[in-house]
């Protein structure tokens, strides 16, 4: 009789030949010890023994090689098992071929894992002193920690509330699954009544990454930088280091663009970096015929086709580039932390929460960070030079306020001792969008289970296909303004395409967009036997701004987030004008050929409005409000006499010593586009500010 549970063990008798044993847990006895199929995969970091036997048991033994690459000294990292009772499996030549296929697929899945850096809990003790402490291993924190540890004599502690990224973050099409996992903070904005009326609980869902790589590990992978005009408001004095020339230099520093459309074009090359750590490529193309139709239709609408949306302008339509390589996500954790992980001077504490920054008020010097470690105990770590807060635009203001840095009246309300009266948590800016449903008919039919099996096989064998692209979308973006001749766009449009009767449309609507059943049922009905295109139209440069406040003094409690979308009337006017312009796409010859139909979304508050009128679009903006997850600006930098600034232009907290903020919070204004690349640029810029202060002889300032 088969044992109910199998415990699999691999014993390394020869250098490359694990022998596989199956042990019955009941009697501890050896059931068999031979393998009829044996496959070995050797990579620079892992080797795998994959075995099956005539009973159809298949298992994979994964070992990580040690640094010198010698597998004999390696240790077991993971074991997987797969049991099948199919007698033909792995017997005879045909069985062997199919057995090989299965073992290859299992092994290939193992190859998707990344070499995440080790946790340093065993290397640190309460009271230890570091040159720098970085709070948050997100998009910015991973870069800062990696760059600072390039200086061998600096000892750097990196504190991260989350752990290693899951496989779902590595495979682009699964990134949505991370939003509701332990790898994300599940924040909601407060119910404000004026917007998000058809959202579950009337609230906007704001997931943020709680994992190595932070939100860059759960995001949509788009690498968008914006253009010079987006950063003009950041440059407020001659030598502040935030002029476009400097900004472009720091965008380029981490970039490694591998797309030949850019790298082989001398004009476009000027805007890019090719030697950095962060690989930027085209996002893998699926649904190309839909992408081509969209490009044609936008051109008929009067937009220019642009080869590079990260070139001199975004105004037009073009292909998206993103942080991805060979079908896998590139984040600042994969690009910066993984290679830095073996450095002796980098100490990473995973699953460790920073509760407070301790400041000596007599000198206004930031001294230490108090944390709850992964084992539940408390510790305090001290710093010689700077504490760098990179907790992201929501958690950074929370940590500052809990440490006594914030608006006086708010901190006093909560009984927090004031250290510095600064407008922390104010100036919250975000992109906001709505989904616009358009049905089309290109003759495409419903996708069956077989399509997704083939997609899985294509991904695992070639690293291409639907799973290698973010949300399986036609990867083009359009940017336009009304009137059309503005230098910067009013709206950005991205798209989702759904084959008829797509099974996951309802859950995308409910779990990702966070809309209620009434709206999601309508979306499913639009898709009944029809192809559905959703245009996500988002406002590029909102005037409206919200704020973040503490809910209580408990560091683990979610803060109060007030998004204040469309609270400035200018935003609604721009948005409505843009929606009317975008939806003219249904009148283009290309869309007419596809029998395109703009669909009305019914909702009690909007049903009085004439379809597609200004009133209708305003009502939609207030009803199917969907954030783009780009909060910035909550600890903004500015001139010393700017009352709205929390930081000086070198990103130091005003009036304090040894405390910097480096993440999306520092942005004085939101760029027109997705924010991850801008955060990376901020981190590179900030690193040189730190280097100039503590290692001035090593910094070349010329551009
Ligand atoms: C769903 C989604 C999709 C997105 N898509 C895109 C996209 O396609 N392209 C794009 O450009 N941008 C995108 N963004 C936005 C972009 O990813 C963020 O702007 C960027 O990652 C922010 O970087 P950050 O360093 O400021 O913060 P984060 O990357 O969020 O890093 C903060 C880190 O600090 C940790 N932390 C916080 N508080 C503490 C504490 N007290 N103690 C210890 N650790 C702490 C967090 O766990 C986290 O790891 C998306 C965002 C989301 C949520």
């Amino acid at each position: 009789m088969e044992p109910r549970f199998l415990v699999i063990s691999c014993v390394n008798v020869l250098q490359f030949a694990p022998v596989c044993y199956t042990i019955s847990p009941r009697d501890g006895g050896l059931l068999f010890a031979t393998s009829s199929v044996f496959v070995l995969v050797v990579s620079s970091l892992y080797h795998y023994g994959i075995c099956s036997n005539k009973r159809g048991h298949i298992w994979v033994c994964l070992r990580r090689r040690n640094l010198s690459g010698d597998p004999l000294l390696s240790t077991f990292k993971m074991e997987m098992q797969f049991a099948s009772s199919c007698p033909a499996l792995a017997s005879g030549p045909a069985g062997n071929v199919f057995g090989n296929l299965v073992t290859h697929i299992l092994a290939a899945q193992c190859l998707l894992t990344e070499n995440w850096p080790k946790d340093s809990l065993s290397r640190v003790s309460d009271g230890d002193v570091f040159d720098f402490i970085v709070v948050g291993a997100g998009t910015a924190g991973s870069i800062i920690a990696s760059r600072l540890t390039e200086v061998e004599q600096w000892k750097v502690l990196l504190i991260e509330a989350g752990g290693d990224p899951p496989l779902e973050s590595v495979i682009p099409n699964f990134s949505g699954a991370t939003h509701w996992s332990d790898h994300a903070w599940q924040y909601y904005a407060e119910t404000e009544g004026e917007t998000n009326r058809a959202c579950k609980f009337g609230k906007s869902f704001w997931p943020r990454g709680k994992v190595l790589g932070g939100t860059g590990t759960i995001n949509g992978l788009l690498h968008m930088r914006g253009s010079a005009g987006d950063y003009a408001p950041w440059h407020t004095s001659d030598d502040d280091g935030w002029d476009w020339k400097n900004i472009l230099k720091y965008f380029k520093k981490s970039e490694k663009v591998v797309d030949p459309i850019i790298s082989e074009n001398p004009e476009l090359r000027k805007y890019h970096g090719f030697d950095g750590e962060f690989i930027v490529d085209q996002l893998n193309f699926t649904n190309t015929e839909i992408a081509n139709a969209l490009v044609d239709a936008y051109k008929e609408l009067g937009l220019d086709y642009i080869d590079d949306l990260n070139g001199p302008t975004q105004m037009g339509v073009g292909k998206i580039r993103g942080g991805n390589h060979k079908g896998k996500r590139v984040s600042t954790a994969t690009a910066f932390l993984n290679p830095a992980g073996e450095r002796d001077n980098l100490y990473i504490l995973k699953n460790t929460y920073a509760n407070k920054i301790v400041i000596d008020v007599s000198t206004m010097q930031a001294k230490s960070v108090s944390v709850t470690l992964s084992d539940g105990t408390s510790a305090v770590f001290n710093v010689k030079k700077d504490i760098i807060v990179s907790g992201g635009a929501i958690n950074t203001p929370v940590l500052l306020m809990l440490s006594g840095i914030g608006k006086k009246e708010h901190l006093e309300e909560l009984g927090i001792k004031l250290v510095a009266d600064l407008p922390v948590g104010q100036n919250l800016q975000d992109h906001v969008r709505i989904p616009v449903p358009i049905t089309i008919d290109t003759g495409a039919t419903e996708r069956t289970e077989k399509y997704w099996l083939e997609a899985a096989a294509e991904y695992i064998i070639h690293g291409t296909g639907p799973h290698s692209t973010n949300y399986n979308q036609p990867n083009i973006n359009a940017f336009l303004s009304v009137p059309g001749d503005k230098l910067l766009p009013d709206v950005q449009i991205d798209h989702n395409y759904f084959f008829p009767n797509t099974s996951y449309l309802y859950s995308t609507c409910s779990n990702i967009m966070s809309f209620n059943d009434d709206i999601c049922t309508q979306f499913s009905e639009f898709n009944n036997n029809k192809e559905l295109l959703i245009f996500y139209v988002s406002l590029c440069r909102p005037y409206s701004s919200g704020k973040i406040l503490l809910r209580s003094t408990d560091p683990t409690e979610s803060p109060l987030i007030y998004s204040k979308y469309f609270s400035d009337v200018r935003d609604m006017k721009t948005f409505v004008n843009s929606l009317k312009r975008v939806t003219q796409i249904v009148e283009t010859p290309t869309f007419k050929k596809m029998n395109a139909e703009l669909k009305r979304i019914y909702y009690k508050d909007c049903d009085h409005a004439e379809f597609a009128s200004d009133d209708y679009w305003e009502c939609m903006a207030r009803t199917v409000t969907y954030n783009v997850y780009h909060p910035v600006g909550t600890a903004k930098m500015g001139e010393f006499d700017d009352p709205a600034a929390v930081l000086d232009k070198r990103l130091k907290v005003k009036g304090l010593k040894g405390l910097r903020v480096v993440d999306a919070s520092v942005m004085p204004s939101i760029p027109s586009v997705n924010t991850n690349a801008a955060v990376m640029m901020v981190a590179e810029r900030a690193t040189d500010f730190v280097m100039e202060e503590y290692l001035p002889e090593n910094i070349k300032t010329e551009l």
Side-chain angles (χ1 to χ4, degrees):
M1 216 177 89
E2 295 296 320
R4 195 141 166 250
F5 301 103
L6 298 177
V7 177
I8 311 296
S9 175
C10 298
V11 178
N12 203 1
V13 284
L14 294 172
Q15 187 171 11
F16 283 120
V19 171
C20 304
Y21 295 94
T22 302
I23 314 284
S24 158
R26 200 156 28 91
D27 55 18
L30 194 66
L31 286 183
F32 53 84
T34 55
S35 62
S36 62
V37 177
F38 180 76
V39 180
L40 188 72
V41 181
V42 182
S43 77
S44 58
L45 286 165
Y46 298 101
H47 80 269
Y48 308 86
I50 298 144
C51 316
S52 77
N53 70 347
K54 297 220 186 311
R55 297 178 188 205
H57 295 121
I58 296 172
W59 59 93
V60 178
C61 307
L62 167 62
R63 300 155 198 223
R64 187 166 160 185
R65 295 154 72 108
N66 71 354
L67 266 183
S68 62
D70 178 0
L72 272 179
L73 297 174
S74 64
T75 52
F76 292 103
K77 177 147 188 211
M78 186 184 97
E79 296 175 9
M80 298 194 330
Q81 66 177 57
F82 172 74
S84 160
S85 55
C86 168
L89 192 60
S91 66
N96 281 351
V97 166
F98 292 124
N100 271 338
L101 173 66
V102 175
T103 51
H104 174 83
I105 286 172
L106 289 174
Q109 188 188 341
C110 299
L111 281 171
L112 292 173
T113 58
E114 297 276 354
N115 181 29
W116 306 115
K118 288 194 284 289
D119 186 84
S120 304
L121 185 60
S122 59
R123 295 168 65 212
V124 300
S125 305
D126 186 14
D128 278 358
V129 183
F130 297 86
D131 289 286
F132 295 93
I133 299 179
V134 181
V135 178
T139 297
S142 298
I143 294 183
I144 285 266
S146 155
R147 292 281 184 228
L148 294 180
T149 49
E150 285 171 10
V151 181
E152 274 175 36
Q153 68 267 30
W154 284 349
K155 205 173 145 189
V156 177
L157 175 66
L158 177 60
I159 298 167
E160 169 52 48
D164 291 345
L167 196 56
E168 286 72 22
S169 76
V170 176
I171 307 172
N173 194 32
F174 290 106
S175 64
T178 58
H179 301 184
W180 284 102
S181 73
D182 288 347
H183 305 284
W185 310 84
Q186 280 103 23
Y187 291 134
Y188 280 95
E190 293 303 294
T191 306
E192 292 174 274
E194 294 293 303
T195 58
N196 297 89
R197 294 188 294 214
C199 286
K200 284 188 248 175
F201 322 114
K203 292 170 192 275
S204 182
F205 179 47
W206 288 35
R208 312 304 300 165
K210 183 185 184 183
V211 63
L212 294 183
T215 307
T217 289
I218 68 161
N219 76 7
L221 287 85
L222 272 69
H223 190 76
M224 292 278 189
R225 304 187 321 194
S227 51
D230 284 307
Y231 300 95
W234 297 26
H235 178 42
T236 47
S237 55
D238 284 350
D239 296 326
D240 64 1
W242 293 102
D243 53 292
W244 174 244
K245 214 169 165 188
N246 257 303
I247 283 180
L248 186 58
K249 170 182 150 184
Y250 289 106
F251 268 128
K252 287 171 160 183
K253 185 168 180 190
S254 34
E255 256 186 14
K256 185 184 181 71
V257 173
V258 297
D259 179 357
I261 294 176
I262 295 171
S263 61
E264 290 170 12
N265 179 324
E267 264 314 296
L268 296 179
R269 277 189 73 88
K270 290 182 195 157
Y271 290 86
H272 291 284
F274 301 93
D275 306 315
E277 292 78 0
F278 192 91
I279 297 178
V280 177
D281 200 355
Q282 278 191 31
L283 277 166
N284 203 290
F285 260 65
T286 51
N287 305 317
T288 38
E289 61 301 337
I290 302 296
N292 292 341
L294 281 165
V295 168
D296 289 344
Y298 278 116
K299 288 205 299 206
E300 287 157 8
L301 205 59
L303 273 66
D304 291 331
Y305 181 77
I306 294 183
D307 273 329
D308 178 12
L309 287 173
N310 288 319
T313 178
Q314 282 72 55
M315 296 294 282
V317 57
K319 289 179 181 171
I320 304 170
R321 269 75 185 189
N324 73 120
H325 187 52
K326 299 191 172 159
K328 288 166 69 178
R329 173 188 299 272
V330 174
S331 69
T332 58
T334 65
F336 288 87
L337 271 195
N338 288 355
E342 303 289 350
R343 288 180 195 154
D344 285 342
N345 59 341
L346 176 60
Y347 297 75
I348 302 178
L349 290 179
K350 302 179 196 174
N351 302 302
T352 296
Y353 192 85
N355 297 309
K356 191 177 173 182
I357 296 156
V358 183
I359 294 150
D360 178 344
V361 283
S362 64
T363 56
M364 292 301 264
Q365 177 82 40
K367 304 290 272 184
S368 49
V369 181
S370 82
V371 304
T372 305
L373 295 164
S374 54
D375 61 7
T377 60
S378 301
V380 175
F381 297 110
N382 302 307
V383 76
K384 283 196 238 167
K385 297 182 174 69
D386 283 358
I387 293 169
I388 298 170
V389 183
S390 299
I394 299 174
N395 284 22
T396 284
V398 168
L399 183 59
L400 292 179
M401 289 189 276
L402 287 170
S403 311
I405 304 161
K407 285 191 95 166
K408 184 167 177 276
E409 54 282 20
H410 179 50
L411 299 192
E412 279 176 357
E413 255 167 40
L414 290 164
I416 297 172
K417 194 160 179 288
L418 184 74
V419 173
D421 182 10
L422 291 167
V424 172
Q426 309 292 306
N427 188 48
L428 169 63
Q429 299 177 32
D430 191 10
H431 294 134
V432 59
R433 59 183 160 176
I434 67 165
V436 176
I438 295 178
T439 54
I440 55 170
D441 180 7
T442 68
T445 51
E446 186 174 338
R447 288 309 187 237
T448 59
E449 186 68 9
K450 188 165 160 264
Y451 172 84
W452 289 108
L453 278 176
E454 283 169 359
E458 180 180 352
Y459 184 76
I460 210 114
I461 294 167
H462 302 293
T464 55
H467 290 308
S468 64
T469 199
N470 53 337
Y471 318 125
N472 187 23
Q473 62 176 333
N475 269 315
I476 63 138
N477 262 201
F479 293 87
L480 59 81
S481 67
V482 182
D485 57 356
K486 294 188 189 169
L487 279 180
L488 294 174
D490 287 335
V491 287
Q492 174 178 3
I493 309 125
D494 53 358
H495 316 83
N496 254 175
Y497 169 69
F498 297 93
F499 293 105
N501 310 319
T502 297
S503 58
Y504 55 84
L505 172 57
Y506 185 95
S507 59
T508 303
C509 173
S510 176
N511 297 338
I512 307 285
M513 298 185 230
S514 204
F515 293 134
N516 64 25
D517 176 65
D518 182 13
I519 300 297
C520 296
T521 302
Q522 290 183 60
F523 274 78
S524 295
E525 282 166 6
F526 298 149
N527 190 224
N528 267 349
N529 302 318
K530 285 251 181 202
E531 294 157 74
L532 176 66
L533 259 175
I534 297 183
F535 285 55
Y536 299 99
V537 182
S538 71
L539 191 63
C540 288
R541 282 164 304 111
Y543 289 98
S544 309
S545 69
K547 63 182 172 190
I548 289 174
L549 297 175
L550 293 177
R551 195 179 295 274
S552 76
T553 52
D554 178 353
T556 60
E557 208 176 348
S558 302
L560 296 161
I561 301 172
Y562 297 96
S563 70
K564 295 279 175 203
Y565 295 134
F566 299 115
S567 54
D568 187 307
V569 287
R570 290 171 291 182
D571 288 348
M572 188 56 85
K573 193 160 183 282
T574 306
F575 197 56
V576 167
N577 286 340
S578 304
L579 283 164
K580 289 194 323 198
R581 175 86 178 111
V582 173
T583 48
Q584 284 169 356
I585 202 163
V586 290
E587 302 302 333
T588 59
T590 299
F591 264 53
K592 274 187 180 294
K593 230 187 294 161
M594 300 192 298
N595 295 321
E597 196 186 331
L598 177 65
K599 302 304 285 187
R600 177 173 191 137
I601 298 174
Y602 288 93
Y603 187 78
K604 56 182 171 32
D605 296 354
C606 309
D607 292 347
H608 67 278
E610 185 191 335
F611 181 43
S613 62
D614 287 19
D615 278 358
Y616 174 80
W617 288 124
E618 170 159 357
C619 199
M620 283 295 110
R622 297 192 182 286
T623 300
V624 283
T625 326
Y626 176 28
N627 65 323
V628 197
Y629 318 113
H630 295 160
V632 304
T634 47
K636 84 159 200 158
M637 65 169 161
E639 295 300 323
F640 211 77
D641 57 0
D642 175 355
V646 172
L647 313 173
D648 68 17
K649 298 303 282 288
R650 303 207 139 220
L651 307 183
K652 290 177 170 179
V653 175
K654 281 162 69 175
L656 271 83
K657 285 177 262 177
L659 183 58
R660 282 187 151 95
V661 173
V662 180
D663 59 22
S665 329
V666 313
M667 299 185 192
S669 58
I670 193 164
S672 306
V673 297
N674 314 62
T675 42
N676 199 59
V679 174
M680 290 171 57
M681 176 274 290
V682 164
E684 293 284 19
R685 171 65 283 196
T687 304
D688 272 3
F689 285 146
V690 174
M691 298 274 188
E692 280 163 19
E693 185 167 339
Y694 295 105
L695 268 189
E697 71 281 7
N698 287 0
I699 294 296
K700 292 198 188 87
T701 45
E702 79 274 9
L703 296 171

